[in-house]
């Protein structure tokens, strides 16, 4: 396929300066050079080299960059970037002789590498050696994200997904500069992470799933493997223990957690709102403290997500009592609270983030919590929920929040979506994928593509570049890449597929 133009990239870069008539062609002897003395830069270089070796068949050695201006190959440098790139951005310069990516951090270099991938022919994504001219259009890109939080969520509770599936999804998120993956690790239908001090949570609470299948859970080693793999893709894991509602798996595992001292049966349906931890029992808070402590010890990221949605079996007074005791547990562990926006029903805690999942554009409680310092991650269910059907003929997914075709997923402004919410209170966006109807990576891909790149662009690109007509053409050009990568995407009739 023809080499992409600099302006074809998704998410749309901040500034693109094509150099007419200039093309870089990767020579078979090309090296990847990385910032001397930086193991983080070398790791990004090795990541890029591995991709290139696989599809070009070239050796692509990785070495410390020699002093001075690069004269050949691909250089990943931590000096000389335009000051505007900040913590996650990059500057990409392509001439006839060299490709140079400059950034202030390894994350910036990694994001520049994702852009470079899209500028190379789609065959670069192949798992076998391809014989094409490995060309890159000449010019300069200076790029950096609009929002610091650009997330996706995977519900591993309704249906369990093995580590390999999570890693595959992480690889796909990295393509579009997503930098957070929120793992929904517990719900009514399953508990998916080992807690040593409450071991039945995983062994019994994780033993089934929606539909009655075998379920499963992550050992601590497996969770740490996911965390490390995500970090190697510049993605931070946000673990969620949903409470006080959505807790049947825990309640089924330990009778003492129930107000009546009786453990309910394991649940394999898809109803919501019927369970609650017993907010009046002391043991409940010992339980929560133990769970959060063990989870925090495994989680280098800044957030613990404590859920808080649909606590219909918990009175508002019980809810606020519970949340007002639990939030300090999170902050005392050195983490910040993230929660579904119903946590506005409890006191503020330093640095907390509300995840808005409503289907409306007004929420006075969110606005007042923001006025008190809380930040908001935007996940409106009728825009950002990847488990919503595209349309009435979509075989997978739900439709309670409405149908979400690609244009619907794209045509909204996270910074001006909730009435009276200051733009500065918006930390970013997140695309949740609930798994009541999803069981395989194929299912995940079908629901995520092509809407995830739309949400990724909302999280990264300046609002000034937002334009559906231009975006849908850029999106169509990604199709051949997804086909080569084996991504089972939905061929939306709204998109002119290349
Ligand atoms: C935050 C939230 N709580 C509910 C709601 O979103 O809808 C999801 C399905 O779309 C469902 O799985 C989830 O339990």
């Amino acid at each position: 396929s023809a080499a992409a133009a600099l302006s074809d990239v998704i998410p749309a870069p901040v500034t693109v300066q094509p150099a007419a008539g200039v093309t870089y062609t990767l020579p078979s002897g090309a090296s990847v050079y990385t910032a001397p003395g930086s193991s983080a830069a070398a790791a990004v270089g090795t990541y890029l080299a591995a991709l290139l070796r696989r599809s070009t068949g070239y050796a692509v050695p990785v070495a410390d960059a020699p002093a001075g201006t690069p004269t050949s190959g691909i250089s990943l440098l931590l000096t000389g970037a335009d000051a505007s790139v900040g913590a996650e951005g990059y500057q990409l310069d392509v001439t006839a002789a060299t490709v140079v990516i400059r950034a202030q951090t390894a994350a910036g270099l990694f994001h520049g590498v994702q852009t470079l991938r899209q500028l190379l022919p789609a065959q670069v994504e192949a798992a076998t050696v391809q014989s094409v001219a490995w060309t890159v259009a000449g010019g300069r890109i200076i790029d950096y994200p609009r929002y610091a939080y650009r997330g996706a969520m995977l519900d591993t509770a309704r249906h369990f997904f093995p580590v390999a599936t999570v890693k595959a999804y992480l690889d796909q998120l990295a393509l579009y500069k997503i930098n957070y993956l929120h793992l929904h690790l517990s719900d009514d239908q399953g508990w998916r992470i080992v807690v040593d001090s409450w071991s039945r949570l995983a062994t019994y609470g994780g033993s089934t799933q929606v539909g009655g299948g075998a379920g499963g859970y992550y050992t601590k080693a497996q969770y740490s493997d996911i965390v490390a793999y995500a970090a190697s893709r510049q993605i931070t894991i946000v673990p969620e223990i949903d409470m006080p509602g959505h807790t049947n798996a825990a309640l089924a595992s330990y009778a003492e957690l129930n107000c009546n001292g009786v453990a309910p049966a394991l649940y394999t349906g898809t109803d919501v709102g019927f369970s609650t931890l017993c907010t009046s029992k002391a043991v409940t808070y010992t339980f929560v403290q133990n769970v959060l402590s063990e989870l925090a010890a495994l989680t280098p990221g800044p957030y613990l997500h404590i859920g808080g949605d649909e606590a219909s079996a918990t009175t508002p007074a019980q809810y606020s009592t519970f949340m007002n005791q639990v939030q300090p547990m999170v902050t005392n562990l050195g983490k910040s609270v993230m929660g579904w926006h119903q946590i506005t029903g409890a006191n503020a805690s330093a640095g907390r983030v509300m995840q808005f999942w409503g289907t409306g554009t007004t929420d006075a409680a969110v606005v007042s919590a923001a006025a008190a310092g809380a930040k908001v991650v935007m996940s409106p269910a009728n825009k950002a929920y990847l488990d919503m059907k595209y349309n009435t003929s979509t075989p997978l997914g739900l439709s309670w929040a409405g149908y979400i075709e690609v244009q619907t997923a794209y045509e909204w402004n996270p910074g001006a979506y909730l009435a009276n919410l200051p733009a500065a209170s918006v930390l970013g966006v997140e695309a949740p994928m609930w798994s009541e109807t999803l069981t395989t990576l194929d299912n995940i891909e079908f629901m995520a593509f092509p809407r995830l790149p739309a949400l990724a662009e909302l999280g990264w690109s300046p609002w000034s570049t937002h334009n559906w007509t231009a975006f849908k053409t850029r999106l169509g050009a990604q199709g051949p890449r997804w086909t080569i990568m084996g991504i089972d995407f939905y061929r939306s009739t709204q998109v002119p597929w290349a």
Side-chain angles (χ1 to χ4, degrees):
S1 56
L6 297 184
S7 53
D8 291 346
V9 173
I10 294 179
V14 175
T15 56
V16 169
Q17 300 158 356
V22 176
T23 299
Y24 174 80
T25 303
L26 184 75
S28 61
S31 289
V32 168
Y33 299 108
T34 63
S38 168
S39 57
V44 179
T46 302
Y47 167 92
L48 170 61
L51 178 79
L52 295 173
R53 288 170 191 152
R54 190 179 64 164
S55 50
T56 65
Y58 299 166
V60 194
V62 180
D64 273 4
T69 305
T71 56
S72 71
I74 300 174
S75 300
L76 309 180
L77 306 177
L78 292 173
T79 54
D82 186 279
S84 65
V85 303
E88 291 192 83
Y90 61 91
Q91 175 177 320
L92 169 68
D93 286 291
V94 181
T95 67
T98 62
V99 170
V100 182
I101 298 174
R102 299 176 184 274
Q104 294 178 2
T105 66
L109 293 177
F110 187 83
H111 295 143
V113 163
Q114 301 312 319
T115 292
L116 175 60
R117 284 175 81 165
Q118 291 187 27
L119 296 176
L120 282 157
Q123 288 86 343
V124 77
E125 302 297 346
T128 56
V129 175
Q130 310 292 307
S131 56
V132 297
W134 301 107
T135 55
V136 181
R140 165 170 289 182
I141 289 179
I142 294 176
D143 199 11
Y144 49 86
R146 179 184 183 188
Y147 292 112
Y149 191 104
R150 307 177 307 279
M153 185 206 85
L154 183 59
D155 171 8
T156 66
R158 275 49 179 278
H159 282 98
F160 179 68
F161 296 100
V163 172
T165 299
V166 178
K167 289 182 175 180
Y169 195 42
L170 282 163
D171 280 335
Q172 293 167 4
L173 299 177
L175 293 168
Y176 300 101
K177 306 186 176 79
I178 296 285
N179 66 345
Y180 283 94
L181 176 60
H182 165 184
L183 290 176
H184 187 74
L185 293 169
S186 67
D187 211 302
D188 291 320
Q189 298 85 349
W191 187 284
R192 305 298 181 208
I193 178 68
V194 164
V195 179
D196 295 328
S197 50
W198 297 76
S199 58
R200 275 175 58 82
L201 290 171
T203 57
Y204 182 70
S207 66
T208 187
Q209 60 184 16
V210 168
Y217 57 83
Y218 305 113
T219 65
K220 289 192 168 185
Q222 288 172 321
Y223 177 80
S224 295
D225 182 24
I226 290 169
V227 167
Y229 192 86
S232 74
R233 271 68 181 160
Q234 302 299 330
I235 296 172
T236 299
I237 295 295
V238 178
E240 178 188 354
I241 301 298
D242 200 346
M243 45 190 167
H246 286 278
T247 43
N248 189 77
L251 296 167
S253 303
Y254 289 96
E256 67 208 274
L257 294 177
N258 298 268
C259 282
N260 64 2
V262 176
L266 290 170
Y267 179 67
T268 61
T270 58
D271 292 342
V272 297
F274 58 86
S275 58
T276 181
L277 292 173
C278 186
T279 57
S280 59
K281 279 185 161 181
V283 68
T284 298
Y285 299 95
T286 305
F287 165 76
V288 174
Q289 180 67 64
N290 294 159
V291 168
L292 295 180
S293 301
E294 291 193 34
L295 193 54
L298 300 169
T299 302
Y303 302 113
L304 294 186
H305 198 302
I306 57 174
D309 62 315
E310 298 179 310
S312 311
T314 318
T315 68
Q318 292 166 342
Y319 181 92
S320 60
T321 299
F322 176 82
M323 283 301 190
N324 292 344
Q325 282 194 233
V326 166
Q327 291 186 90
M329 294 178 190
V330 173
T331 53
N332 291 336
L333 286 164
K335 305 296 183 184
S336 294
V337 166
M338 197 162 173
W340 302 106
H341 70 268
Q342 283 72 28
I343 58 169
T344 55
N347 298 341
S349 63
R352 82 171 174 176
V353 176
M354 300 173 287
Q355 185 169 6
F356 178 77
W357 62 282
T359 54
T361 55
T362 59
D363 191 307
V366 168
V367 171
S368 62
K375 297 296 181 192
V376 184
V377 164
M378 295 299 296
S379 298
N382 55 333
K383 304 287 185 184
Y385 269 31
L386 299 177
D387 59 303
M388 288 303 119
K389 292 174 181 290
Y390 291 92
N391 51 49
T392 52
S393 59
T394 305
L396 300 165
L398 305 175
S399 58
W400 71 267
Y403 296 104
I404 303 180
E405 254 289 4
V406 188
Q407 184 171 3
T408 303
Y410 185 76
E411 291 277 60
W412 62 286
N413 181 354
Y417 187 77
L418 274 180
N420 307 315
L421 182 69
S425 294
V426 178
L427 192 61
V429 298
E430 184 184 292
M433 171 117 39
W434 300 96
S435 62
E436 288 90 339
T437 65
L438 310 175
T439 57
T440 65
L441 176 60
D442 229 43
N443 293 167
I444 290 169
E445 292 170 354
F446 187 77
M447 303 303 273
F449 292 87
R451 292 176 297 190
L452 181 84
L455 292 156
E457 175 144 321
L458 289 175
W460 178 279
S461 303
W463 184 246
S464 60
T465 64
H466 190 267
N467 176 302
W468 166 249
T469 304
F471 177 73
K472 70 180 181 181
T473 301
R474 287 187 281 126
L475 197 56
Q478 297 289 311
R481 314 186 76 85
W482 300 339
T483 300
I484 289 172
M485 287 188 254
I487 291 176
D488 175 31
F489 66 100
Y490 163 65
R491 297 182 71 83
S492 169
T493 53
Q494 295 182 339
V495 177
W497 297 107

